[in-house]
């Protein structure tokens, strides 16, 4: 297969972890005789510095003509602490999601046996937790208009908007994932308060009859926030709107022991984007200490979702699991007494592992 991949490293630790993910993609492509080409694009603070735009037209054109996008992270503290900044790196990510029509963000939460002791939760609660968060990505509070300030600057407002079509397509996708998994769907909303949530619930209830095998439950977001910690194994597929999904997946990420482990795929109308759920961690930029596994696992999702290549994706997951079993990992998932490895060392170990695997 021929694969054209756009690489958008972004800011902070983005370039280091994406470099590892890219090497993994190369190693796997090599192994399975795919021909892969990479082209780099700029986004985030990096693109603001170079072009004055966090998602320049060139970058968009590159994404559109590619088969998949490997994305690092965006964000820089110089913008966070400046309330008057006109453009922000995060706007680049939002523009990319919107313009590529990436309405579904898939965030799988899986636990690794060898890491369970790293979780802040009790091992017996976490063991076996395995669920998929399906986060709506192009609507809700992130994009609703009007948004802004009153003239005197003393009142600010955001708007949460969802249309039936937007809800339908994401909830349908979540039902379909539930069918492929353990056939349980949790629809998360705040229907006791929000009009948009009531629309979500109405649409999901109607759709239940198309998926009679799926056990569907409805829960308020505050309750889900609690149950993620109390009983994470009770979830299979979770579907929710943009902002709730953002918050719940950060929370869910600590269940596994480190945020540095969670990958994501954003899919929709045009080219899919694969990115770790963690941010740009500016303090660690250039230090070669960031955990590359979330980016590497995002590359596994790339083979699966952009190219429908399951074996290629499995070999990456196998390599990641092996690196954890062998304790070849960055410091965030090691105890102080244990030896830890740099970002690039972990990458080299994984590439080496993949090269050594037998493939028919
Ligand atoms: C994420 C991030 C982004 C979001 C930011 C960087 C815009 O937190 O992908 O979860 O809020 O969606
Ligand atoms: Mn987030």
């Amino acid at each position: 297969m021929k694969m054209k991949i756009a690489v958008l490293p972004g800011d902070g630790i983005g370039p280091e972890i994406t470099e590892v993910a890219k090497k993994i993609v190369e190693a796997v492509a090599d192994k399975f005789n795919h021909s892969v080409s990479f082209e780099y694009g700029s986004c985030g603070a990096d693109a603001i510095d170079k072009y004055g735009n966090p998602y320049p037209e060139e970058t968009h054109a590159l994404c559109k003509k590619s088969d998949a996008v490997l994305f690092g992270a965006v964000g820089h503290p110089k913008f966070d602490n400046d309330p008057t900044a006109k453009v922000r790196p995060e706007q680049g990510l939002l523009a990319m999601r919107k313009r590529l029509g990436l309405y579904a963000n898939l965030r799988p939460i899986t636990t690794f046996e060898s890491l369970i002791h790293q979780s802040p939760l009790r091992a017996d609660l976490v063991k076996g937790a395995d669920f998929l968060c399906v986060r709506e990505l192009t609507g809700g509070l992130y994009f609703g208009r009007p948004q802004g300030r009153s003239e005197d600057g003393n009142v600010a407002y955001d708007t949460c908007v969802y249309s039936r079509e937007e809800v339908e397509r994401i909830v349908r996708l979540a039902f379909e994932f539930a069918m492929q998994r353990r056939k349980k769907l949790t629809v998360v909303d705040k229907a006791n308060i929000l009009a948009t949530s009531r629309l979500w619930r109405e649409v999901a209830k109607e759709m239940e009859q198309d998926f009679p095998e799926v056990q569907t439950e409805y829960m308020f977001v505050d309750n889900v926030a609690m149950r993620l910690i109390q009983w994470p194994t009770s979830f299979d597929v979770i579907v929710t709107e943009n902002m709730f999904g953002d918050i719940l997946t950060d929370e869910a990420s600590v269940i596994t022991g480190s945020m540095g482990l969670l990958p994501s795929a954003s899919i929709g109308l045009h080219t899919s984007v694969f990115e770790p759920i963690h941010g740009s961690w500016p303090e660690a930029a250039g230090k070669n200490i960031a955990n590359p596994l979330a980016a590497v696992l995002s590359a596994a999702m790339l083979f699966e979702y952009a190219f429908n290549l399951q074996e290629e994706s499995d070999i990456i997951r196998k390599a990641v699991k092996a690196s954890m079993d062998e304790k070849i990992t960055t410091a965030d998932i090691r105890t102080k007494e244990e030896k830890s490895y740099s970002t690039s060392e972990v990458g080299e170990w994984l590439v080496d592992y993949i090269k050594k695997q037998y493939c028919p």
Side-chain angles (χ1 to χ4, degrees):
M1 194 183 274
K2 260 197 152 65
M3 316 176 159
K4 261 195 341 221
I5 297 180
V7 185
L8 311 188
D11 310 320
I13 57 169
E16 297 156 59
I17 54 155
T18 338
E19 197 49 33
V20 173
K22 172 184 173 251
K23 288 197 172 126
I24 299 291
V25 171
E26 270 172 331
V28 172
D30 208 41
K31 191 103 210 161
F32 289 84
N33 288 317
H34 302 300
S35 111
V36 58
S37 65
F38 298 95
E39 203 174 321
Y40 283 81
S42 182
C43 68
D46 173 53
I48 297 179
D49 294 342
K50 288 186 191 143
Y51 306 93
N53 177 352
Y55 185 58
E57 279 310 315
E58 294 90 322
T59 302
H60 182 59
L62 169 64
C63 293
K64 280 291 283 273
K65 70 166 194 191
S66 303
D67 301 314
V69 179
L70 260 186
F71 192 92
V74 293
H76 194 285
K78 78 178 170 204
F79 298 94
D80 295 344
N81 303 321
D82 176 6
T84 63
K86 287 260 167 347
V87 280
R88 296 173 181 279
E90 290 79 3
Q91 285 167 344
L93 184 54
L94 299 191
M96 179 180 73
R97 289 171 177 171
K98 193 72 173 178
R99 294 188 64 190
L100 293 176
L102 305 173
Y103 60 82
N105 183 219
L106 312 175
R107 298 185 162 185
I109 316 285
T110 43
T111 44
F112 294 90
E113 198 66 29
S114 58
L115 254 193
I116 281 185
H117 63 282
Q118 291 278 350
S119 172
L121 302 184
R122 260 184 8 241
D124 62 303
L125 287 178
V126 175
K127 200 166 183 298
D130 171 14
F131 55 93
L132 174 69
C133 289
V134 180
R135 169 187 174 194
E136 202 290 330
L137 203 59
T138 51
L141 278 173
Y142 276 63
F143 294 95
R145 293 293 179 268
Q147 179 189 62
R149 291 272 188 118
S150 62
E151 241 164 63
D152 68 3
N154 292 329
V155 179
Y157 42 88
D158 298 281
T159 309
C160 191
V161 190
Y162 272 108
S163 69
R164 174 171 284 275
E165 289 68 30
E166 284 176 303
V167 180
E168 251 168 31
R169 63 184 179 182
I170 188 83
V171 175
R172 181 168 301 281
L173 192 71
F175 269 113
E176 285 164 1
F177 276 114
M179 282 301 290
Q180 292 166 24
R181 296 174 49 104
R182 299 190 304 274
K183 298 194 170 61
K184 185 174 173 202
L185 178 65
T186 307
V187 180
V188 181
D189 60 33
K190 188 77 183 167
N192 50 347
I193 305 292
L194 303 175
T196 42
S197 283
R198 287 192 282 274
L199 177 65
W200 273 73
R201 206 172 264 222
E202 190 181 301
V203 168
K205 284 232 152 93
E206 285 166 20
M207 220 176 270
E208 270 187 49
Q209 44 192 330
D210 297 342
F211 300 91
E213 284 175 57
V214 177
Q215 181 204 337
T216 311
E217 64 177 2
Y218 297 84
M219 282 180 93
F220 296 141
V221 60
D222 44 352
N223 191 11
V224 173
M226 185 174 78
R227 208 169 68 168
L228 275 174
I229 300 299
Q230 273 182 332
W231 193 14
T233 54
S234 69
F235 296 106
D236 179 18
V237 177
I238 292 177
V239 65
T240 192
E241 64 93 48
N242 203 345
M243 177 75 120
F244 294 162
D246 180 46
I247 298 168
L248 291 179
T249 51
D250 259 35
E251 184 190 354
S253 75
V254 299
I255 295 172
T256 60
S258 171
M259 208 185 183
L261 293 175
L262 287 203
S264 85
S266 302
I267 61 176
L269 307 177
H270 304 290
T271 320
S272 301
V273 173
F274 301 86
E275 58 170 312
I277 90 155
H278 61 67
S280 57
W281 196 15
E283 300 78 11
K287 293 192 181 150
N288 203 15
I289 56 170
N291 190 340
L293 294 184
V296 170
L297 290 166
S298 300
M301 294 187 87
L302 176 147
F303 281 104
E304 188 174 356
Y305 291 99
F307 300 103
N308 203 11
L309 296 169
Q310 195 60 47
E311 271 180 80
E312 284 78 342
S313 147
D314 288 344
I315 201 171
I316 299 178
R317 295 201 179 95
K318 195 172 156 203
V320 167
K321 181 174 181 303
S323 77
M324 284 198 272
D325 291 346
E326 303 280 326
K327 306 191 171 195
I328 315 291
T329 73
T330 45
D332 54 310
I333 47 177
R334 295 269 65 92
T335 61
K336 282 206 182 66
E337 297 72 44
E338 289 172 328
K339 177 170 165 48
S340 61
Y341 294 79
S342 68
T343 312
S344 53
E345 281 170 338
V346 172
E348 281 151 26
W349 192 92
L350 293 169
V351 166
D352 200 48
Y353 180 93
I354 289 167
K355 283 195 177 148
K356 284 194 199 125
Q357 294 305 295
Y358 169 74
C359 285

